[in-house]
């Protein structure tokens, strides 16, 4: 009897608190939910490399943090229509660098909010979340 080969990749996103990747030796499972359990869009993007050859396994692509200087962060914000949050980054002392906003082990929004002196539930925090998610996604393309 012929048994179908298990998929190399299975992507889903409904279990908000289960964001992440697991692997059972045959299939990579990706819970790509962008929202947390409280429906806050704080989960970072997940990038997977799926080779064309069906004999090769899928692999997780990790950006490895951000090495931008504080000046480059400000410039990036200015170039990406982030005018509403730019003043908060300009006033931060010391200024935030790439390693502060996108550490290698993930996005730590609460730390950034504290450094910017903003409330995590306000519209400014939402703008910061969106900007950092976009920056993190762009880091994948720079590799």
């Amino acid at each position: 009897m012929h048994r179908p080969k298990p998929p190399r990749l299975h992507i889903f996103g409904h279990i908000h608190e289960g964001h992440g990747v697991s692997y059972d030796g045959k299939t990579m499972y990706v819970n790509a939910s962008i929202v947390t359990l409280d429906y806050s869009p704080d989960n970072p993007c997940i990038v997977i490399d799926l080779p064309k050859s069906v004999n090769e396994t899928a692999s997780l692509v990790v950006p490895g943090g951000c090495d931008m200087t504080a000046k480059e962060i400000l410039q990036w914000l200015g170039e990406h229509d982030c005018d509403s949050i730019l003043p908060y980054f300009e006033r931060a002392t010391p200024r935030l660098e790439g390693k502060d906003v996108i550490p290698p082990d993930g996005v730590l929004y609460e730390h950034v909010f504290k450094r910017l002196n903003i409330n995590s539930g306000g519209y400014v925090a939402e703008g910061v979340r969106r900007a950092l998610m976009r920056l993190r996604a762009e880091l994948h393309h720079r590799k």
Side-chain angles (χ1 to χ4, degrees):
M1 177 178 218
H2 175 71
R3 291 189 176 175
K5 191 172 183 180
R8 295 183 291 158
L9 181 63
H10 178 87
I11 302 172
F12 50 96
H14 184 72
I15 305 170
H16 302 164
E17 66 273 21
H19 178 268
V21 177
S22 63
Y23 184 69
D24 69 3
K26 296 176 185 168
T27 301
M28 176 179 283
Y29 298 91
V30 179
N31 182 343
S33 173
I34 64 164
V35 298
T36 61
L37 189 56
D38 63 354
Y39 292 92
S40 178
D42 291 343
N43 290 334
C45 66
I46 295 175
V47 176
I48 302 297
D49 180 22
L50 185 63
K52 288 182 181 181
S53 170
V54 295
N55 297 320
E56 295 182 50
T57 59
S59 60
L60 177 65
V61 178
V62 181
C66 178
D67 62 359
M68 295 170 75
T69 66
K71 185 177 179 179
E72 290 170 328
I73 292 288
L74 294 175
Q75 182 178 356
W76 185 90
L77 290 167
E79 292 172 353
H80 289 82
D81 299 319
C82 298
D83 299 337
S84 65
I85 62 170
L86 184 57
Y88 294 90
F89 281 83
E90 290 172 333
R91 287 192 298 258
T93 354
R95 292 233 168 111
L96 293 160
E97 298 180 350
K99 64 181 174 51
D100 301 317
V101 296
I102 310 286
D105 54 353
V107 179
L108 304 172
Y109 296 111
E110 292 302 322
H111 170 73
V112 174
F113 298 157
K114 187 175 181 180
R115 291 278 307 270
L116 296 176
N117 196 26
I118 61 173
N119 181 326
S120 63
Y123 74 93
V124 175
E126 181 61 27
V128 170
R129 279 187 193 98
R130 289 180 190 274
L132 296 185
M133 288 177 89
R134 181 174 179 184
L135 175 58
R136 187 173 192 275
E138 285 186 13
L139 291 173
H140 288 287
H141 296 290
R142 293 182 181 186
K143 290 203 147 227

